[in-house]
Amino acid sequence: MAKLYKISPNGTDLLVDQLMIADNFWSRAKGLLGRKTLAENEALWINPCNNIHTFFMKFEIDCVFIDQKMQIKNIVENISPYRFVGPFWKSYSVIETTAGFIELKKIKIGDHLYVVD
């Protein structure tokens, strides 16, 4: 399973050690549908994707929209079920996490992320 890191002035910080990757039509269409929850150490990277919806979801999520260089372009916190978010034109993909994750990990626009398989 892939891992998600944030580059910081002090080095790197592990954000997620169970990063699921949705990079084909079916996995992107399914997303987090059917899940009852998402653990703090889990996230879904939908690639490519610059907007999302939370129709039929059962829990709130945070979303981190990034460009092709993995720089954070937009952040949306505590998205309730049955909402549309985006599109964000400078974003290429999105990482969906559990609600509260962005505040907990002190993620901000401009941060750089990277993924290790």
Side-chain angles (χ1 to χ4, degrees):
M1 178 110 10
K3 296 179 192 244
L4 178 67
Y5 293 87
K6 177 176 82 169
I7 300 170
S8 70
N10 300 329
T12 58
D13 299 321
L14 176 64
L15 298 177
V16 172
D17 62 2
Q18 294 185 28
L19 181 66
M20 301 166 281
I21 300 173
D23 59 359
N24 64 53
F25 177 79
W26 296 112
S27 62
R28 289 178 22 233
K30 182 179 182 208
L32 294 173
L33 294 176
R35 298 215 31 175
K36 293 183 180 177
T37 187
L38 192 61
E40 186 179 301
N41 66 334
E42 291 180 308
L44 176 66
W45 181 19
I46 305 174
N47 187 15
C49 179
N50 70 354
N51 66 318
I52 60 116
H53 72 82
T54 58
F55 287 98
F56 310 109
M57 289 190 53
K58 298 178 169 113
F59 55 96
E60 292 184 343
I61 60 172
D62 286 355
C63 287
V64 178
F65 290 88
I66 56 178
D67 65 12
Q68 288 182 309
K69 294 179 181 178
M70 302 292 289
Q71 182 178 22
I72 297 174
K73 293 298 181 181
N74 208 332
I75 293 171
V76 184
E77 298 180 68
N78 301 314
I79 306 164
S80 300
Y82 295 93
R83 301 283 186 258
F84 284 108
V85 177
F88 298 109
W89 300 115
K90 293 183 179 182
S91 298
Y92 182 74
S93 60
V94 62
I95 298 170
E96 297 180 344
T97 65
T98 186
F101 180 86
I102 290 168
E103 184 178 340
L104 179 69
K105 300 292 185 172
K106 297 177 177 47
I107 295 170
K108 61 188 180 316
I109 293 173
D111 286 348
H112 282 86
L113 306 177
Y114 72 95
V115 173
V116 175
D117 286 330

